[in-house]
Amino acid sequence: MEGQADIAEEILEETAAPRSQNLPRKKKNRRPKSKRGKNKPTGFEEYYVDAPITVEEHQLERELYHVSRPIIHRVEDALLRFHRNRRIETDRLEVFHKYLTYGGVDVGPNMFAGSDNRDLKEMDSEQILRARARTAISQESSHLAIDFDAVVKGFLTSYFPFYFNPENEAMINLATVTIRSFLSYLLYHDVCPEHKENIHEARKSCDIATKELWKNQQLTANGPGDFNIACSTLFGGLEHEVYAENNEWKNPEDDKIQMTKDIAEKVIRFGLAVAGSDEIASSFHQMDSQGSLEATILEDLDGFEVTGVRLLSERDHEFYLTNAPDLNPVGRLYGRTYYDPDMSKRDLSPDEQEQWAVGDRPVQEFTFFLEESLLKHCYPGMKIIAPIWELSCGFHYFEDITRAYCSIYMSLPNDLMIGWKKPRDLAAKGKNQEAWDEEAE
């Protein structure tokens, strides 16, 4: 027994020895540089707030953002610190810089790029921050009007959707959240107290654009809907012009299925029976039986603004499900004339030009029929740019949707200045050239 105890003690002593004496040390698995910091907060999370600042930092900000300083300098300093305190990834940075450029901020490569890092040792923290800056506001812009809300509306509703063409909701959120975060930074640090209310309105515009931009994209991609295509096929429009029975015109490489006239008639009759008023339905059937239905395209207008949406009741859904399960239920869409400010000028008489200049333009009310799958993307104030046709029985239909604008849509000329460079002073260049020629002689 004693021998067994001795052997046990020897085993315990061996196993108690440090592993470093028995086994080679394992190397730590270090993450590649490209993946380091991926899980760290970026500063754009939903509930992110800036950390409390020290007394020294507060005193510095009081001096930097004092109203006695020109506002362009205060905004410049705020941009420097906003960039420093956020982890702005590539896609987000591209959108943010376009927004700043649209608003009149100069964006370019940082001043410190390509320099030796040893130069940093000769600078204090404030100098380093400015050396790494990529944004600046020229003194020439100091005379321009400042309107944070107008810039947000113009960029998000006019420039952003057509320059970036967001393919998903995440891309839209990336833009609106980034801009809203910067505006919140201005409020939190009291950078522009004289524009506080205007910045609050700009943040509200970001919230509205977040909800409406994706609806616009979905309606544009999936419209104009079966009912409108059916009307175009039977009465007039693009589908009517290219129609061929039994889809004989169809390109074998195109997977689009053309609507036949029989299906088009079924779509219209069920749509009017369920969503149409008694007056419109009876007028349609009477004119159709007499062969007197006529469709006319409305000229001198660009589209319509949505004024209301009427969805179907449960009873209407049951009617479709029982009698036409192969059709998409149709609801009602109301609108009124909309004139796109970005469209080219119209050929108007002098009297008409004066009327239009004061806002006295012809306005017409419209009643459309649209599938509920598309109606859920529509909202009051939405602007839809599309050809509109009027049917003699009392309702309207529209064709291919060119564009869809938000309820807060604003068109600004700011995008015309993106990429603009001040022309060189040729006169000064000529004087310098003369001086160089004289020295050479």
Side-chain angles (χ1 to χ4, degrees), residues 20-61:
S20 59
Q21 298 177 5
N22 301 322
L23 298 173
R25 297 181 64 179
K26 292 184 178 180
K27 294 182 179 180
K28 291 183 178 180
N29 293 327
R30 298 179 64 85
R31 300 177 68 186
K33 290 184 179 180
S34 60
K35 295 185 178 180
R36 294 177 195 173
K38 286 289 184 180
N39 296 326
K40 293 182 180 179
T42 62
F44 298 99
E45 289 75 17
E46 183 176 0
Y47 298 107
Y48 179 88
V49 292
D50 285 323
I53 59 178
T54 64
V55 176
E56 292 77 9
E57 290 172 335
H58 175 70
Q59 185 60 36
L60 176 60
E61 289 192 356

Side-chain angles (χ1 to χ4, degrees), residues 366-381:
F366 306 119
T367 300
F368 303 102
F369 298 98
L370 194 65
E371 285 69 32
E372 282 199 321
S373 59
L374 296 176
L375 279 177
K376 66 182 182 181
H377 303 312
C378 301
Y379 51 88

Side-chain angles (χ1 to χ4, degrees), residues 239 241-260:
E239 298 295 332
E241 293 174 1
V242 302
Y243 182 81
E245 192 63 44
N246 298 324
N247 210 20
E248 294 175 357
W249 68 277
K250 180 175 176 291
N251 186 341
E253 298 179 358
D254 187 0
D255 58 357
K256 179 182 177 181
I257 300 175
Q258 186 185 22
M259 183 181 293
T260 64

